[in-house]
Amino acid sequence: MKKVLITGGAGFIGSNLALKLKNKGYEVIVLDNLSKQIHGENPEKSYTYSLIKGKVKFIKGNVKDRSAWDEALTNDIDLVIHLAAETGTGQSMYEIEKYIDTNIKGTAILLDKIVNEKLNVKKLIVASSRAIYGEGKFYCEEHGIVYPESRKDEDMKKGDFNVKCPICGKNVKMELTDEESKSHPTSVYGYTKKAQEELSILVGKSINLPVVGFRFQNVYGPGQSLKNPYTGILSIFSTQIKNGNDINIFEDGKETRDFVYIDDITDAIILSIDNDEANYEVFNVGSGEKLDVLTIANVLKEKYNSNVNIKISGNYRLGDIKDNQADLTKIHKILGYEPKVNFKTGISNFVDWVEKQEIEEDNYEKSIEEMKLKGLYK
């Protein structure tokens, strides 16, 4: 498989992956709409677009438009890596049509073309998300393994941000979330990624097209958009700090995330390309460790030598999860995946990169105001 189409290939993950595959001898075609939210008003100044510009064949187009697929998905494409998506969890709760159109309709057109035009695609790799798990897997002392629903507004109003057993209502303890865990998203974004993943595998099996899904955790590293105020906590905090703005920590600051470095993500994808055992499987891709948000904010403040204030506000967003850490047993067993970049190294690389970039306008409060108007921010 030597000719690959990467949708969203000018973005953070896509641009890094495109360069790695090109260096491995692949002919790379990128389809990307150069979204203003990610690349800014002038995409010619976009860091990730500049990584691939002139190095791969680039097609500007939106995956929700069939004409873009007609141009990009030609009969000589061997491999499709479908990364293009709208990705803001909070934003997805009020930009519903936008997320459905891009993430689900875009995938539907891709699958429709492969089936009905009998294209020669030999493998499809789809970017999914840990968001499909919702709160994830937990342990209740009375009821064992449980999969809690979204935390209740009335509890969080009182400052109780703990996850509760769906049976008895008592506090539960986080477990590593494996791929067999219940899939019940708490955001529109999560539902669209679940649909992408399941539709792709369903259709793939029906036509004997191998499909692989990757449930990415919180991806970070050099090149992560500093313009996008809707996703990427490390980038959001960095932009706030570089603008001299204080950081408002949601909930109690103890909410945790599994931060996985960009190189580990691209390596995982590459490991699946020629591995037949990966066909029709889905994999968590994470770091094997979790960190709380308050720790992250303090690490960034120290690394930027900043004196901004960090405030634990007790504010919260409906749809956010409390804790997250991926079980990597399956991806290690089948793909031989091992995260190579620990957080200490990764965050240093990220900060060093940020220090070399222009300071972007901090639009985070504008994004929060949007959520307030919709009743989704408390």
Side-chain angles (χ1 to χ4, degrees):
M1 291 186 284
K2 285 299 181 182
K3 192 164 187 177
V4 55
L5 169 65
I6 305 176
T7 69
F12 176 38
I13 298 174
S15 59
N16 282 274
L17 179 62
L19 293 182
K20 278 191 175 181
L21 289 176
K22 179 178 171 58
N23 289 337
K24 287 180 174 291
Y26 286 79
E27 182 181 348
V28 179
I29 297 91
V30 163
L31 172 63
D32 199 295
N33 70 339
L34 298 177
S35 165
K36 175 183 171 183
Q37 185 166 302
I38 297 167
H39 299 278
E41 294 282 356
N42 183 3
E44 294 297 322
K45 294 184 178 180
S46 164
Y47 176 82
T48 54
Y49 178 46
S50 70
L51 289 179
I52 64 165
K53 187 178 179 183
K55 298 175 185 175
V56 302
K57 180 180 178 181
F58 178 78
I59 298 170
K60 185 176 181 181
N62 198 309
V63 293
K64 64 185 181 182
D65 298 329
R66 183 174 284 270
S67 59
W69 283 109
D70 288 341
E71 183 178 358
L73 188 55
T74 51
N75 204 42
D76 55 349
I77 297 291
D78 300 301
L79 169 67
V80 177
I81 302 177
H82 187 33
L83 304 176
E86 301 291 348
T87 57
T89 301
Q91 186 187 42
S92 76
M93 300 299 286
Y94 57 93
E95 294 274 6
I96 299 167
E97 183 178 3
K98 174 182 176 181
Y99 276 70
I100 297 292
D101 264 3
T102 300
N103 297 1
I104 297 180
K105 181 183 176 183
T107 304
I109 297 172
L110 162 64
L111 296 173
D112 191 271
K113 281 183 65 66
I114 292 174
V115 171
N116 291 302
E117 297 178 18
K118 301 189 184 304
L119 300 176
N120 290 317
V121 176
K122 299 175 181 65
K123 198 163 199 171
L124 168 63
I125 297 173
V126 179
S128 186
S129 168
R130 73 83 41 216
I132 74 162
Y133 296 120
E135 288 290 350
K137 186 177 182 179
F138 285 78
Y139 179 78
C140 173
E141 290 184 356
E142 185 174 345
H143 297 100
I145 297 298
V146 292
Y147 299 97
E149 301 297 330
S150 297
R151 291 171 293 162
K152 295 180 180 178
D153 194 8
E154 55 262 37
D155 289 333
M156 294 197 286
K157 277 181 181 176
K158 295 182 290 188
D160 182 357
F161 302 111
N162 294 300
V163 180
K164 310 290 185 183
C165 174
I167 303 169
C168 66
K170 294 180 180 177
N171 292 348
V172 289
K173 180 182 177 182
M174 190 205 79
E175 296 279 318
L176 297 183
T177 300
D178 56 48
E179 290 87 349
E180 299 304 312
S181 297
K182 181 179 178 181
S183 173
H184 60 148
T186 59
S187 66
V188 172
Y189 168 68
Y191 272 103
T192 65
K193 300 310 286 185
K194 176 179 166 69
Q196 278 187 311
E197 177 185 300
E198 293 183 350
L199 283 170
S200 297
I201 291 175
L202 174 70
V203 173
K205 285 182 176 179
S206 74
I207 60 171
N208 295 315
L209 170 68
V211 176
V212 184
F214 284 104
R215 295 170 180 172
F216 299 145
Q217 309 299 304
N218 289 63
V219 189
Y220 76 101
Q224 188 172 23
S225 178
L226 299 169
K227 298 177 175 68
N228 190 347
Y230 299 98
T231 187
I233 188 172
L234 295 176
S235 293
I236 290 170
F237 283 174
S238 293
T239 298
Q240 288 179 304
I241 291 170
K242 298 300 284 184
N243 277 273
N245 296 332
D246 294 341
I247 296 177
N248 176 20
I249 302 290
F250 292 166
E251 302 186 19
D252 55 8
K254 297 177 182 177
E255 56 272 28
T256 61
R257 298 293 182 265
D258 184 335
F259 292 94
V260 56
Y261 194 69
I262 180 63
D263 286 352
D264 288 327
I265 289 289
T266 53
D267 286 350
I269 294 171
I270 291 169
L271 284 170
S272 74
I273 292 175
D274 294 317
N275 189 327
D276 291 340
E277 285 187 71
N279 296 348
Y280 309 112
E281 299 287 350
V282 292
F283 299 96
N284 290 330
V285 192
S287 67
E289 58 183 333
K290 64 178 176 130
L291 291 164
D292 67 69
V293 174
L294 180 57
T295 296
I296 293 296
N298 280 311
V299 167
L300 288 172
K301 178 180 174 179
E302 179 182 351
K303 285 192 171 292
Y304 291 121
N305 192 27
S306 171
N307 60 2
V308 301
N309 296 313
I310 297 174
K311 176 187 175 185
I312 300 175
S313 65
N315 295 130
Y316 57 93
R317 298 185 304 185
L318 298 179
D320 277 354
I321 64 163
K322 172 65 174 173
D323 293 306
N324 172 41
Q325 186 177 352
D327 187 324
L328 303 180
T329 304
K330 181 178 179 181
I331 192 170
H332 172 70
K333 180 180 179 182
I334 296 179
L335 296 185
Y337 168 84
E338 290 283 358
K340 297 184 179 72
V341 183
N342 61 32
F343 188 75
K344 182 178 179 181
T345 301
I347 196 64
S348 293
N349 293 345
F350 173 70
V351 168
D352 288 347
W353 172 78
V354 172
E355 294 282 27
K356 298 171 186 174
Q357 309 307 307
E358 292 182 11
I359 298 175
E360 298 291 344
E361 182 181 357
D362 181 8
N363 291 313
Y364 187 59
E365 285 304 316
K366 292 179 183 178
S367 73
I368 294 299
E369 286 300 319
E370 289 177 9
M371 295 200 74
K372 283 181 181 177
L373 289 172
K374 309 298 180 182
L376 298 167
Y377 178 86
K378 309 285 184 169

